[in-house]
Amino acid sequence: MADFGGAELEAFRGEVKAWLEANYPPELKAPRPTTDPEAIWGGRRFANSDDPHIVWMRRVAEKGWTAPTWPKEYGGAGLSPAQARAVEQELQRGGYRQPLASFGIWMLGPVLLEYGNEEQKKEHLPKIVRGEIRWCQGYSEPGAGSDLASLQTRCEDKGDHWLINGQKIWTSYADKADWCFCLVRTDTSKKHEGISFVLIDMSSPGVETRPIRLISGESPFCETFFTDVKVPKGNMVGRLNGGWEIAKRLLQYERQNISGGFGGGGGAGGAAGDLGQIAKNYVGVDETGRLADGDLRRRITENKMNFQALQMTIARSAAESRAGGGPSAATSIIKYAAASFAQERSELMIEAMGHQGLGWEGDAFKGHELTATRGWLRSKGNSIEGGTSEVNINVVAKRVLGLPDPIKQ
């Protein structure tokens, strides 16, 4: 679809603004809305829920705006990139809550649009848009992290179904997910060419999840076990043994999304508040009203400038992605930079708070201080998830700069 411009786009923006104002649940306007924090992810457990956030999600989904550029026949709105940006901008300007957080929208949906057959698109994409199914990602294994192509989860052809046995690790929210998009080995004689991409219903017999407690005290990741799990033949996406191509494509979408999340700040200490203002509150200001510690002020300013530049780069990359048929290997550059800046911000937050930024619990610490502590600990994983920084540097060297592989001695 061609992009609208000028008066047409502004008229559309006005329609979006009016619709949002008329349809936003009043319960969500409160500073601390009474809503289940898990509701933003949707899924089967909310099928009959009247949670205010679920009501909001359903209303936005009916417009197709949870995935605005997806075709209408798959639940999207068929909007142009400019119209989709207008929807996103009006959501942000109005202070509206994100209607849906979804691995299905960020990662699986785009590859289904590219690699899925018509039956798979019609079955899964509308449910993703409506937030009816919550997805998780089955990639890493205990012996296959950075070297993902070494994965050993077996998928055997049993005639009328696939039979899956194996284990995944660091499966984000697997204990809460309804379905999993998963990499499995269908040919043991080849490495990259022996991998396939399948979709697994997490309620299938033989699927077990065990949450992993992190240093931050949270358990968003899980071990996932598959024991004689039967999967319908129609749940394989793409061709047999062609999963590595899909896997790489999906990782580009994942890295693009993770980078945007870091930039938003929620996962990098940003949830505790504005870094500059917090530093002023704890360190104090000089006679001009600036942060009293000049060196800390310089480093905070530099970090903020880096994040601003990162956001502009992400926006440009997203526009190029839409124009060029998907993200490129340049997402590895963005992912590497985003992880570095996010960890730096968390370190600066803790430094500014001093000993108050090292609390774990108790009345001696305020809520935002404990958030900062946990954010700092959580940020240690930023350079690991979605591909380690070392792996992303290698991708940049090979795919962006065109450098040769190091000579093996």
Side-chain angles (χ1 to χ4, degrees):
M1 173 182 288
D3 254 345
F4 284 174
E8 285 182 316
L9 183 59
E10 287 309 305
F12 175 76
R13 186 185 297 277
E15 294 173 3
V16 171
K17 184 176 180 180
W19 188 91
L20 293 174
E21 291 175 350
N23 286 275
Y24 194 61
E27 298 92 334
L28 299 184
K29 297 178 181 179
R32 293 184 179 181
T34 55
T35 183
D36 186 335
E38 287 294 324
I40 190 174
W41 291 93
R44 286 173 176 159
R45 60 172 282 201
F46 291 102
N48 300 309
S49 174
D50 59 356
D51 183 289
H53 196 101
I54 294 298
V55 172
W56 171 232
M57 180 195 72
R58 289 177 184 144
R59 290 175 181 174
V60 177
E62 286 175 3
K63 298 284 289 185
W65 288 354
T66 53
T69 60
W70 289 11
K72 289 184 177 181
E73 60 264 36
Y74 304 133
L79 300 185
S80 69
Q83 289 175 309
R85 286 196 297 275
V87 172
E88 180 181 358
Q89 289 167 354
E90 291 307 314
L91 280 166
Q92 293 176 346
R93 288 172 182 170
Y96 301 106
R97 295 192 67 185
Q98 181 182 10
L100 176 63
S102 170
F103 292 160
I105 289 177
W106 301 330
M107 293 183 278
L108 177 62
V111 298
L112 279 182
L113 285 168
E114 186 172 353
Y115 295 95
N117 59 39
E118 192 63 18
E119 183 178 353
Q120 291 167 342
K121 293 176 184 178
K122 289 182 177 179
E123 170 65 22
H124 297 293
L125 292 176
K127 294 177 181 178
I128 290 174
V129 172
R130 296 193 296 263
E132 294 176 1
I133 297 295
R134 181 172 179 174
W135 288 83
C136 64
Q137 176 186 16
Y139 269 35
S140 296
E141 298 182 5
S146 296
D147 184 14
L148 182 59
S150 294
L151 64 90
Q152 296 299 315
T153 294
R154 292 287 302 277
C155 178
E156 300 175 88
D157 188 343
K158 293 299 182 180
D160 62 344
H161 67 273
W162 303 107
L163 190 67
I164 298 179
N165 284 278
Q167 177 187 355
K168 297 293 179 178
I169 199 167
W170 310 123
T171 318
S172 300
Y173 308 112
D175 57 331
K176 298 178 175 64
D178 305 307
W179 279 69
C180 176
F181 47 94
C182 191
L183 293 181
V184 294
R185 182 156 301 285
T186 43
D187 188 338
T188 58
S189 67
K190 301 176 181 178
K191 189 174 183 181
H192 298 79
E193 295 80 10
I195 294 172
S196 296
F197 190 99
V198 298
L199 309 178
I200 304 173
D201 188 332
M202 294 293 281
S203 65
S204 302
V207 178
E208 179 188 359
T209 60
R210 300 176 189 171
I212 301 171
R213 184 168 294 278
L214 306 182
I215 191 175
S216 64
E218 300 177 344
S219 300
F221 301 130
C222 295
E223 296 177 283
T224 305
F225 300 88
F226 302 103
T227 304
D228 289 335
V229 178
K230 294 181 179 180
V231 174
K233 281 296 189 69
N235 286 15
M236 180 173 289
V237 179
R239 60 181 177 84
L240 178 67
N241 297 324
W244 188 247
E245 177 185 354
I246 301 176
K248 290 190 296 182
R249 190 63 155 174
L250 188 142
L251 282 171
Q252 290 177 338
Y253 286 110
E254 180 184 14
R255 288 163 184 166
Q256 179 175 277
N257 173 69
I258 288 176
S259 301
F262 290 166
D274 178 75
L275 176 56
Q277 187 57 53
I278 285 179
K280 288 182 179 181
N281 293 341
Y282 284 85
V283 178
V285 298
D286 61 18
E287 62 278 3
T288 66
R290 300 183 304 173
L291 180 64
D293 187 325
D295 180 64
L296 181 60
R297 183 174 68 238
R298 176 190 61 78
R299 288 182 286 134
I300 289 176
T301 301
E302 183 177 355
N303 183 262
K304 285 192 169 188
M305 291 173 64
N306 284 336
F307 264 116
Q308 182 64 35
L310 175 67
Q311 288 300 310
M312 296 174 69
T313 303
I314 291 173
R316 186 180 74 246
S317 177
E320 293 172 349
S321 172
R322 288 189 290 267
S328 69
T331 55
S332 290
I333 300 176
I334 297 173
K335 166 60 169 62
Y336 175 84
S340 177
F341 298 155
Q343 290 175 335
E344 180 183 63
R345 176 164 56 190
S346 291
E347 294 285 348
L348 289 168
M349 183 77 74
I350 296 301
E351 179 179 346
M353 289 183 174
H355 60 80
Q356 289 299 117
L358 298 176
W360 187 253
E361 60 184 3
D363 296 337
F365 300 96
K366 300 176 182 177
H368 70 276
E369 293 170 343
L370 299 178
T371 298
T373 302
R374 284 162 170 76
W376 168 58
L377 292 170
R378 174 63 181 85
S379 74
K380 302 305 179 182
N382 294 161
S383 52
I384 299 174
E385 59 197 338
T388 66
S389 290
E390 292 78 9
V391 166
N392 279 296
I393 288 174
N394 283 338
V395 172
V396 172
K398 296 177 185 178
R399 309 297 182 190
V400 180
L401 302 179
L403 299 176
D405 289 333
I407 298 176
K408 296 182 179 180
Q409 301 295 330

